[in-house]
Amino acid sequence: MKIEKTEITPQTGNHVSVIKREESFFQSPFHFHPELELVYVKESFGKRIVGNNVENFEAGDLVFLGSNVPHVWLNDEIYYTEIATLKATSIVAYFNKDIFGPLFYKLEQTSSISDLFQRAKRGMRITGETNKIIIQKLEELLKKTGFEIIVGLFEILNIIANSNDITLINADVYQLCDDNVHNNRLNAVFKYIQDNYNEDISLASISTIANLTPPSFCRLFKSKTKKHFIEYLNEVRVSNACKSLLESDKSISEIAYNCGYKTIANFNKIFKKITGLTPKEYKHKAAV
């Protein structure tokens, strides 16, 4: 599976954007971007994938996503038929946390916002009374211009940060890479893994790609990505496996092999550790 990297700011021309979308069906691919994203589904239903999690969604669904969280909204099959008259309508707010500047996050008064952005890296489902309040404010935000949009966004973030109507979507942070990594050695490593995740990638071979000894490579990789190399490799492999389970009729053993696992037992163990489900359970849940 190819998880596409995008950037919203260059597309919209704004560092903060509030957009109402009206489509025949949600058309964005499985992707991630540096901007944080608040998504309200006003009209539509289907399945939502955030990180490793698959859930049904319907009108009223409200989700807040942190930076670089892979996600996609997939409509039910009826949306893609020629006779379909259904619509996929949503209100989406995008912004990059860097617009506030580093000093902003050091203030005592903004500690709850800093914590919110960290939690959002796992994806956040917003329900209950907070869901109703935020939906109303998003509708109002569409009518605002200029600095009023910033003020409205701050108000929304503050409400979410202090709400108890929040459920974390993923058990752990799920990010394919650290966008702040500018080291050419690691860029080559990321590209190699994306292109060859289905092959046998040893620590010795990947260290050679980075032109480092294995110990030096491990230290560099951990310092830049905050995770071990094998963790990252498994995340890429399982992410591709998730896509195959959703979109193909291949057997679980075939998918395991195609994603670089030599034994089905090891694949099942790692898949459940990352997603919380066995491959069979994941496929069944997605089909419900």
Side-chain angles (χ1 to χ4, degrees), residues 21 23 25-31 37 71-74 94:
R21 290 179 169 164
E23 307 168 287
F25 53 87
F26 290 133
Q27 300 180 29
S28 296
F30 197 28
H31 67 291
E37 179 176 356
H71 58 279
V72 65
W73 273 251
L74 301 170
Y94 299 102

Side-chain angles (χ1 to χ4, degrees), residues 31 33 35-39 63-66 71 73 92-94:
H31 67 291
H33 45 71
E35 294 83 3
L36 289 87
E37 179 176 356
L38 179 62
V39 183
V63 166
F64 184 47
L65 303 177
H71 58 279
W73 273 251
V92 187
Y94 299 102

Side-chain angles (χ1 to χ4, degrees), residues 196-200 233-234 236-238 240-245 248-271 279-280:
N196 301 278
Y197 66 87
N198 57 326
E199 303 293 337
D200 183 15
L233 176 59
N234 280 325
V236 173
R237 285 173 167 171
V238 168
N240 280 276
C242 287
K243 189 69 171 176
S244 292
L245 286 167
S248 76
D249 294 324
K250 294 178 181 177
S251 68
I252 291 175
S253 59
E254 185 179 1
I255 290 173
Y257 177 78
N258 289 342
C259 289
Y261 293 99
K262 295 180 179 179
T263 68
I264 188 67
N266 189 40
F267 172 64
N268 287 339
K269 178 182 177 181
I270 293 172
F271 191 98
K280 186 176 181 179

Side-chain angles (χ1 to χ4, degrees), residues 8 32 46 56 70 94 100 122 147 174 193 195 202 263 268 276:
I8 306 302
F32 66 102
N56 293 324
Y94 299 102
F100 301 120
R122 295 162 63 180
F147 190 67
Y174 185 96
I193 292 172
D195 293 341
S202 67
T263 68
N268 287 339

Side-chain angles (χ1 to χ4, degrees), residues 122-140:
R122 295 162 63 180
M124 306 175 76
R125 189 187 311 108
I126 305 169
T127 58
E129 190 63 27
T130 304
N131 175 285
K132 299 175 184 178
I133 294 171
I134 299 302
I135 286 174
Q136 180 180 347
K137 291 192 176 296
L138 276 173
E139 295 276 12
E140 295 171 355

Side-chain angles (χ1 to χ4, degrees), residues 11-266:
Q11 296 177 24
T12 62
N14 293 299
H15 292 285
V16 179
S17 302
V18 183
I19 302 169
K20 183 175 183 180
R21 290 179 169 164
E22 295 179 299
E23 307 168 287
S24 299
F25 53 87
F26 290 133
Q27 300 180 29
S28 296
F30 197 28
H31 67 291
F32 66 102
H33 45 71
E35 294 83 3
L36 289 87
E37 179 176 356
L38 179 62
V39 183
Y40 159 46
V41 176
K42 188 170 184 177
E43 179 185 6
S44 188
F45 59 91
K47 296 189 186 300
R48 161 171 42 79
I49 304 176
V50 174
N52 293 315
N53 179 272
V54 179
E55 292 181 317
N56 293 324
F57 75 87
E58 58 185 13
D61 188 59
L62 184 62
V63 166
F64 184 47
L65 303 177
S67 178
N68 293 326
V69 178
H71 58 279
V72 65
W73 273 251
L74 301 170
N75 287 113
D76 277 8
E77 290 184 6
I78 191 172
Y79 277 81
Y80 307 101
T81 64
E82 293 182 359
I83 62 172
T85 58
L86 298 167
K87 297 294 181 184
T89 307
S90 62
I91 299 177
V92 187
Y94 299 102
F95 68 96
N96 195 309
K97 70 182 184 67
D98 292 339
I99 63 173
F100 301 120
L103 183 58
F104 174 87
Y105 299 102
K106 296 179 181 180
L107 299 173
E108 181 180 350
Q109 296 88 338
T110 59
S111 60
S112 62
I113 301 296
S114 298
D115 176 67
L116 171 66
F117 291 173
Q118 286 299 314
R119 289 187 289 146
K121 291 181 179 180
R122 295 162 63 180
M124 306 175 76
R125 189 187 311 108
I126 305 169
T127 58
E129 190 63 27
T130 304
N131 175 285
K132 299 175 184 178
I133 294 171
I134 299 302
I135 286 174
Q136 180 180 347
K137 291 192 176 296
L138 276 173
E139 295 276 12
E140 295 171 355
L141 208 56
L142 283 172
K143 305 171 187 176
K144 297 182 182 297
T145 59
F147 190 67
E148 288 183 337
I149 296 177
I150 305 295
V151 174
L153 177 62
F154 263 115
E155 185 179 10
I156 288 173
L157 293 175
N158 185 58
I159 292 170
I160 298 174
N162 294 284
S163 172
N164 292 320
D165 298 325
I166 303 297
T167 305
L168 296 178
I169 295 174
N170 284 283
D172 201 356
V173 174
Y174 185 96
Q175 290 181 277
L176 290 181
C177 64
D178 183 344
D179 259 3
N180 291 321
V181 173
H182 298 293
N183 188 292
N184 289 334
R185 288 174 172 172
L186 286 189
N187 287 339
V189 166
F190 293 138
K191 185 179 187 307
Y192 184 85
I193 292 172
Q194 292 293 341
D195 293 341
N196 301 278
Y197 66 87
N198 57 326
E199 303 293 337
D200 183 15
I201 305 177
S202 67
L203 178 59
S205 64
I206 202 66
S207 298
T208 301
I209 298 296
N211 197 26
L212 292 168
T213 64
S216 296
F217 169 76
C218 288
R219 286 194 296 271
L220 175 64
F221 195 91
K222 182 66 183 296
S223 69
K224 294 295 186 180
T225 67
K226 309 306 179 187
K227 61 184 68 175
H228 296 291
F229 160 68
I230 193 63
E231 292 179 87
Y232 176 82
L233 176 59
N234 280 325
E235 286 178 357
V236 173
R237 285 173 167 171
V238 168
S239 178
N240 280 276
C242 287
K243 189 69 171 176
S244 292
L245 286 167
L246 291 173
E247 297 185 352
S248 76
D249 294 324
K250 294 178 181 177
S251 68
I252 291 175
S253 59
E254 185 179 1
I255 290 173
Y257 177 78
N258 289 342
C259 289
Y261 293 99
K262 295 180 179 179
T263 68
I264 188 67
N266 189 40

